[in-house]
Amino acid sequence: MTSILETAVRIEISETDFDVNAELSKMRVGRADIGAICSFIGLVREANLGSRVSSMTLEHYPGMTEKTLRNIVAEASQRWPLQAVTVIHRVGKLLAADNIVLVLVASAHRQAAFAACEYVMDFLKTDAPFWKQESTENGVHWVDARVSDTAALQRWNQN
Amino acid sequence: MTSILETAVRIEISETDFDVNAELSKMRVGRADIGAICSFIGLVREANLGSRVSSMTLEHYPGMTEKTLRNIVAEASQRWPLQAVTVIHRVGKLLAADNIVLVLVASAHRQAAFAACEYVMDFLKTDAPFWKQESTENGVHWVDARVSDTAALQRWNQN
Amino acid sequence: MITILFFASLREALGVNREQFDCKLSSVTDVASLIEALRGRSAAFSEALAPTRNWRVAVNQEIANTNTPIASGDEVAFFPPVTGG
Amino acid sequence: MITILFFASLREALGVNREQFDCKLSSVTDVASLIEALRGRSAAFSEALAPTRNWRVAVNQEIANTNTPIASGDEVAFFPPVTGG
């Protein structure tokens, strides 16, 4: 099992959009040992619980956010043999269909890449200090945390 | 549960490389209902079982390949609520670090996107008629199928 | 002195995002005593930080609980359950 | 007539990738009888399509087995276990 020291980690909180191709290139440059890259993109859905979301504002806790994401990636690197991990999360105002978050996980093997990418997303959802405020036709409101996100963590205790 | 008829499916067998950003754009154009896109990229690893792979030639069974991939995507669409699926697999000569395969799965929810993307890759590995011939310093040889790829299917019987 | 931060709906309900707080003046030694001191300020604070409300607390950017000790120089943050991703 | 296809290591071992085959001349009615007819041709065919060898067979582009019936117009393919992805 590789440790976090051997895994190339990139964490970024950004008001601007990310470029998936550019992030893939950064991760891959100069190496021919990667067999699999699993990526996840989270997007702003226009429809959420029956209301039409026109925009969303993402707030976070600078410092704790990066620390939390680094810890999550370090845990994943202990569980699976990872080669590189990139996590980019946007903050500020986002519109429907905009990108919110990008997670890229590279490994020699596909199962490790899939599992670690989903692990990072699951813990990002429950532990990383981001908060969403949605603007809908019914006004502005803070998004409630979902029980299903906490439930999703259960599977990682079984390994 | 959506059916295959409601899922936008793109299957391509190509001698040329794919552009992840372009494929993401095609999948996303004109829609704001996607919440999650899970993607998988398989790459040519330079080191494989101790030999150094300089290049690889991928052969396939035209017709059966596309049919098989469509069936796999249709099965995934029955299991999870998917919005769009893209599968691009390269054939011909590939070099170390080149892209081999791209799978993109869009869904309103991340767990469906992750599960369906891994499902498609697992069945692509065991059912889609592609064959790899590697060139290493020890000569040219056909890659052996791996028992671990067949074993990976077991999980999908448990649901 | 400690730094107290409030985020998201808590920040809005309390009308403050950051303040400096003198632990010694209020005999604050842990999260529980800090909350007691803050809740005594106003109805808004009492309501927002009530034990029945679903807030989270972090001390020095790590998730904490009411038993977590607090000392001068610490950064304490209160916020609702997170909703990123 | 049926079309027979060979892929990858089977194609290389047999030196043929595609052929037309007359089912009636050889009384071929299913995959088993087709294999019997093909194996009778040469040591290379006998060896490559031996039951102990790990080949796969598809009829009309769907995975089949030795019991699968074959009729005129069908496309039958033999190949090793797949290794894509």
Side-chain angles (χ1 to χ4, degrees):
Chain A
M1 200 76 12
T2 53
S3 80
I4 184 66
L5 293 172
E6 301 163 51
T7 305
V9 179
R10 170 162 151 70
I11 306 279
E12 189 172 306
I13 310 301
S14 171
E15 293 203 6
T16 57
D17 198 8
F18 46 79
D19 178 328
V20 179
N21 275 357
E23 294 303 327
L24 285 168
S25 294
K26 277 180 206 164
M27 176 171 269
R28 294 170 65 161
V29 67
R31 60 194 303 171
D33 58 341
I34 299 175
I37 299 176
C38 180
S39 82
F40 179 84
I41 301 170
L43 297 85
V44 180
R45 289 171 61 207
E46 187 175 59
N48 201 7
L49 304 173
S51 296
R52 195 166 167 284
V53 177
S54 55
S55 73
M56 174 180 281
T57 304
L58 262 147
E59 177 174 336
H60 79 123
Y61 180 175
M64 183 170 171
T65 310
E66 294 84 347
K67 192 171 178 175
T68 304
L69 293 175
R70 273 189 192 282
N71 286 344
I72 294 169
V73 172
E75 289 287 334
S77 299
Q78 296 291 333
R79 284 185 171 234
W80 297 281
L82 307 181
Q83 295 169 325
V85 180
T86 296
V87 181
I88 303 178
H89 202 297
R90 294 181 67 189
V91 292
K93 187 174 178 183
L94 302 178
L95 304 177
D98 276 358
N99 290 325
I100 302 174
V101 60
L102 173 69
V103 178
L104 298 178
V105 176
S107 175
H109 302 289
R110 79 179 184 284
Q111 277 136 352
F114 272 115
C117 190
E118 191 161 15
Y119 178 97
V120 169
M121 273 308 303
D122 279 359
F123 281 91
L124 182 155
K125 280 268 181 187
T126 56
D127 292 0
F130 293 100
W131 301 275
K132 284 177 187 150
Q133 191 178 47
E134 287 180 346
S135 295
T136 74
E137 70 269 32
N138 303 319
V140 171
H141 67 275
W142 291 97
V143 173
D144 279 330
R146 292 192 305 181
V147 175
S148 62
D149 287 328
T150 305
L153 300 186
Q154 294 306 316
R155 93 184 81 176
W156 305 115
N157 294 325
Q158 290 162 7
N159 292 346
Chain B
M1 200 76 13
T2 54
S3 80
I4 184 65
L5 292 172
E6 300 164 52
T7 305
V9 178
R10 171 162 148 70
I11 307 279
E12 190 173 304
I13 311 301
S14 171
E15 293 203 6
T16 56
D17 199 9
F18 47 78
D19 178 327
V20 179
N21 275 357
E23 295 303 327
L24 285 167
S25 294
K26 277 180 207 166
M27 176 171 270
R28 295 170 64 161
V29 66
R31 60 193 303 171
D33 57 342
I34 298 174
I37 299 175
C38 180
S39 82
F40 180 83
I41 302 170
L43 299 83
V44 180
R45 289 171 61 206
E46 187 175 58
N48 200 6
L49 304 174
S51 296
R52 196 166 168 282
V53 177
S54 54
S55 74
M56 174 180 281
T57 304
L58 262 146
E59 178 174 335
H60 79 124
Y61 181 175
M64 182 170 173
T65 311
E66 294 83 348
K67 193 171 178 175
T68 305
L69 293 174
R70 275 191 192 280
N71 286 344
I72 294 168
V73 172
E75 288 288 333
S77 300
Q78 296 292 335
R79 285 184 171 234
W80 297 280
L82 307 182
Q83 295 170 324
V85 180
T86 296
V87 181
I88 302 177
H89 202 297
R90 294 181 67 191
V91 292
K93 186 174 177 183
L94 303 178
L95 304 178
D98 275 359
N99 291 324
I100 302 173
V101 60
L102 173 69
V103 177
L104 298 178
V105 176
S107 175
H109 303 289
R110 80 180 184 283
Q111 276 136 352
F114 271 115
C117 190
E118 192 162 15
Y119 178 96
V120 169
M121 272 308 302
D122 278 359
F123 281 92
L124 182 155
K125 280 268 182 187
T126 56
D127 292 1
F130 293 101
W131 300 276
K132 282 177 188 150
Q133 190 178 48
E134 287 180 347
S135 296
T136 72
E137 69 268 33
N138 302 320
V140 171
H141 67 275
W142 292 97
V143 173
D144 280 330
R146 293 192 305 182
V147 176
S148 62
D149 286 329
T150 306
L153 301 186
Q154 295 305 317
R155 94 184 82 177
W156 305 114
N157 294 327
Q158 292 163 3
N159 292 345
Chain C
M1 297 294 279
I2 63 170
T3 302
I4 309 181
L5 305 171
F6 301 98
F7 289 99
S9 53
L10 268 169
R11 173 178 54 71
E12 284 194 342
L14 300 174
V16 57
N17 65 339
R18 166 190 281 267
E19 65 169 277
Q20 298 298 310
F21 184 93
D22 190 331
C23 300
K24 284 174 199 154
L25 273 179
S26 319
S27 310
V28 163
T29 57
D30 58 13
V31 170
S33 52
L34 174 62
I35 288 170
E36 200 184 325
L38 292 172
R39 291 189 68 203
R41 285 178 170 176
S42 70
F45 271 95
S46 181
E47 166 70 12
L49 296 177
T52 53
R53 296 297 294 268
N54 199 13
W55 45 260
R56 302 282 184 273
V57 61
V59 175
N60 298 328
Q61 306 188 351
E62 297 206 353
I63 287 294
N65 57 52
T66 50
N67 298 321
T68 306
I70 291 177
S72 185
D74 284 349
E75 177 176 294
V76 181
F78 294 96
F79 46 79
V82 304
T83 56
Chain D
M1 297 295 278
I2 62 169
T3 301
I4 309 180
L5 305 171
F6 301 97
F7 289 98
S9 53
L10 268 170
R11 172 178 54 73
E12 284 195 341
L14 300 173
V16 56
N17 65 338
R18 165 189 280 266
E19 65 170 277
Q20 298 298 310
F21 184 94
D22 189 332
C23 300
K24 285 172 197 155
L25 272 180
S26 319
S27 311
V28 163
T29 57
D30 58 13
V31 171
S33 51
L34 174 61
I35 288 170
E36 199 184 327
L38 293 172
R39 291 189 68 204
R41 285 178 170 176
S42 71
F45 272 94
S46 181
E47 166 70 14
L49 296 177
T52 51
R53 296 297 293 269
N54 198 15
W55 45 262
R56 302 282 186 270
V57 61
V59 175
N60 297 328
Q61 306 188 353
E62 297 206 353
I63 286 295
N65 57 52
T66 51
N67 298 321
T68 306
I70 291 177
S72 185
D74 283 351
E75 176 177 295
V76 182
F78 294 95
F79 45 78
V82 304
T83 55

